[in-house]
Amino acid sequence: MHPPSDLPPRVRRFGRAERWVHRLTAALMGVCVVSAGCLYLPPLAELVGRRHLVVTVHEWSGLLLPLPLLVGLASRAFRTDLRFLNRFGPHDRVWLRSALRRRGPRPAGKFNAGQKLYAAWLAGAVLVMLGTGLLMWFTGLAPLAVRTGATFVHDWLALAVGIVLAGHIGKALGDPEARRGLRTGYVARWWAEHEHPLWRPGDGPR
């Protein structure tokens, strides 16, 4: 599929703020996941050593994880994208049904229903991980029984986050145009019309 000759070949998808928030969040999340692996997987722990340093890196990368998003709120374009992500419509239910059946139309605005669910789930998971991590870090905040429960939730949710992130990375590797949009801010018009047919740059949230 190729763009019609009378239309601009590329359209702007993300501004600088959105791209940097994504990059910094991905970097901090990567540090969290790798350092967690070094703490919980014996082969990695033996290979890296210096457990106290790894613990410190893990704690601070987790604590800083919400920071890019909070700084990004200063950008109007980023706030607009958050409204896109936070709004579900009838077309999103159609997209989900088609995705589950692996057939049928998949109407989407700037973000499809799968991306909206992923963003909502990850935001909730980060908040829970941050809360349980603080309970584990500052042992005086809660009694032992609560800290034990927090450790259990933190560890198993970390595993779920790792699995979901692996799926997210796999989807990204299969869509070079989506990656180009996050890297340069622009995507091919034909891609936008095919993958996000309801999105019109400059429109309100869909």
Side-chain angles (χ1 to χ4, degrees), residues 2 37 61 76 86 95 126:
H2 299 283
S61 60
R76 180 182 298 178
N86 197 40
W95 191 98
V126 167

Side-chain angles (χ1 to χ4, degrees), residues 29-183:
M29 182 66 77
V31 173
C32 281
V33 170
V34 171
S35 57
C38 293
L39 291 173
Y40 287 98
L41 300 176
L44 287 178
E46 293 175 6
L47 179 65
V48 175
R50 306 188 68 179
R51 182 176 178 83
H52 178 72
L53 176 61
V54 175
V55 169
T56 301
V57 169
H58 183 75
E59 290 171 341
W60 280 102
S61 60
L63 192 63
L64 293 173
L65 192 55
L67 186 60
L69 184 146
L70 295 175
V71 174
L73 291 175
S75 164
R76 180 182 298 178
F78 182 71
R79 295 196 303 272
T80 298
D81 271 357
L82 288 182
R83 290 196 293 272
F84 275 102
L85 282 168
N86 197 40
R87 182 169 298 182
F88 278 76
H91 61 281
D92 293 309
R93 290 190 288 272
V94 174
W95 191 98
L96 287 172
R97 284 197 298 269
S98 297
L100 290 173
R101 297 170 181 171
R102 297 183 180 275
R103 58 184 175 83
R106 297 192 186 187
K110 185 170 186 180
F111 302 101
N112 63 45
Q115 291 166 330
K116 293 177 180 181
L117 287 177
Y118 170 78
W121 185 89
L122 191 61
V126 167
L127 289 176
V128 173
M129 293 290 285
L130 183 61
T132 53
L134 288 172
L135 289 175
M136 295 163 62
W137 190 359
F138 299 102
T139 56
L141 291 177
L144 178 61
V146 174
R147 298 200 310 272
T148 301
T151 302
F152 178 85
V153 171
H154 193 88
D155 291 351
W156 281 101
L157 185 55
L159 178 61
V161 167
I163 293 171
V164 172
L165 283 176
H168 177 68
I169 293 170
K171 292 289 290 183
L173 291 175
D175 194 341
E177 195 62 32
R179 298 200 311 274
R180 186 176 293 110
L182 281 169
R183 189 175 66 253

